[in-house]
Amino acid sequence: MTRRPVIGLTLDCEPAGGWSKLPWYALRQNYFEAVIAAGGLPVALPHAPALAAEYLATLDGLLVTGGAFDVDPALWGGGPPHPKVTLKPGRTDFELAATRAALARDMPVLGICGGQQLLAVALGATLHQHIPDEVPGALAHEQPNPRTEPGHAVEIAPGTLLARVTGRARMAVNSAHHQAVKAAGPRLVVNARAPDGVIEGVESPAHRFALGVQWHPEYAVDEADPLILRAFVDACRGEARHG
């Protein structure tokens, strides 16, 4: 029996209060369910930047998840944080360390929503701190309807990894972000855009599989969403064979 590739998923974190009287980690179940459905074995990664390399030694792939927080503008020279920016330094420190270590060993990486932004910054991109203030005529990228429904469409660039994975030129996606990649830089290819021009996906052609999407394919809003997870897990399966 071929073993499932082991996929590390980054966790969100919250301070004491609400669900627990002590600080706690959390992640939606559908992240794990989507990885399992795609053939992977998901494991959760606590925030310990000094242990990032040790974690990766046990993994076949890294999935950097999203969350209701932002990448620190100091990491890309973006100036003081916008009033709408929410930081989680401990989480970002770990995700950045893990992402950089994964890229250095050419381990497959999938970034989702905020994870796409983190992957982009790790590879030299800059971000819009707050889309409504920086993109005239922008769509409602924090969609008012449920995340289980599409918020808008994206156009997929031909010849990209994302185009090959999905077999699509266009997808319907959900949208839950107020930041986005502003300038991808020389190391990344833009693979998807919203109708207002906002970048919705990036990838690194220098790596076997380093893909980021601004939407949440774990919800399977579009029929092509599971193909993204499946292609990622298939790339991780190759890591499991040869790592």
Side-chain angles (χ1 to χ4, degrees):
M1 180 178 176
T2 303
R3 76 169 177 90
R4 288 172 174 259
V6 181
I7 315 296
L9 278 68
T10 62
L11 293 166
D12 199 6
C13 59
E14 293 292 340
W19 182 80
S20 173
K21 294 180 181 179
L22 296 171
W24 48 285
Y25 290 120
L27 192 63
R28 276 184 284 102
Q29 291 182 20
N30 63 347
Y31 273 112
F32 297 102
E33 291 164 354
V35 171
I36 291 170
L41 182 68
V43 297
L45 302 177
H47 303 163
L51 300 179
E54 292 186 56
Y55 281 131
L56 291 177
T58 71
L59 302 176
D60 301 309
L62 176 68
L63 196 163
V64 188
T65 64
F69 78 108
D70 304 297
V71 179
D72 191 340
L75 294 173
W76 78 86
H82 187 281
K84 294 289 187 180
V85 165
T86 300
L87 303 180
K88 291 186 175 180
R91 175 176 177 174
T92 296
D93 289 347
F94 172 70
E95 290 185 331
L96 194 59
T99 299
R100 285 173 170 164
L103 293 170
R105 60 183 293 171
D106 204 14
M107 174 180 286
V109 179
L110 175 62
I112 291 178
C113 198
Q116 180 247 193
Q117 296 168 14
L118 189 286
L119 173 64
V121 168
L123 288 168
T126 62
L127 305 180
H128 291 295
Q129 285 206 45
H130 189 55
I131 293 170
D133 288 355
E134 298 185 48
V135 182
L139 297 171
H141 286 275
E142 293 184 284
Q143 69 183 55
N145 53 316
R147 302 297 188 255
T148 52
E149 302 172 358
H152 60 77
V154 297
E155 299 291 333
I156 298 174
T160 59
L161 172 62
L162 183 62
R164 295 194 298 274
V165 162
T166 62
R168 300 288 190 89
R170 183 181 175 90
M171 287 179 62
V173 301
N174 51 13
S175 191
H177 61 106
H178 78 107
Q179 295 197 325
V181 173
K182 182 177 182 178
R187 300 177 68 187
L188 288 168
V189 170
V190 175
N191 56 31
R193 288 185 184 269
D196 58 6
V198 167
I199 294 172
E200 291 279 329
V202 295
E203 59 191 56
S204 169
H207 295 86
R208 286 192 302 121
F209 193 106
L211 174 68
V213 294
Q214 186 62 74
W215 62 94
H216 285 271
E218 72 275 14
Y219 282 93
V221 166
D222 189 284
E223 290 181 357
D225 277 329
L227 301 177
I228 297 171
L229 274 300
R230 193 178 307 160
F232 168 59
V233 171
D234 284 347
C236 296
R237 189 171 288 114
E239 178 78 2
R241 286 197 302 266
H242 303 116

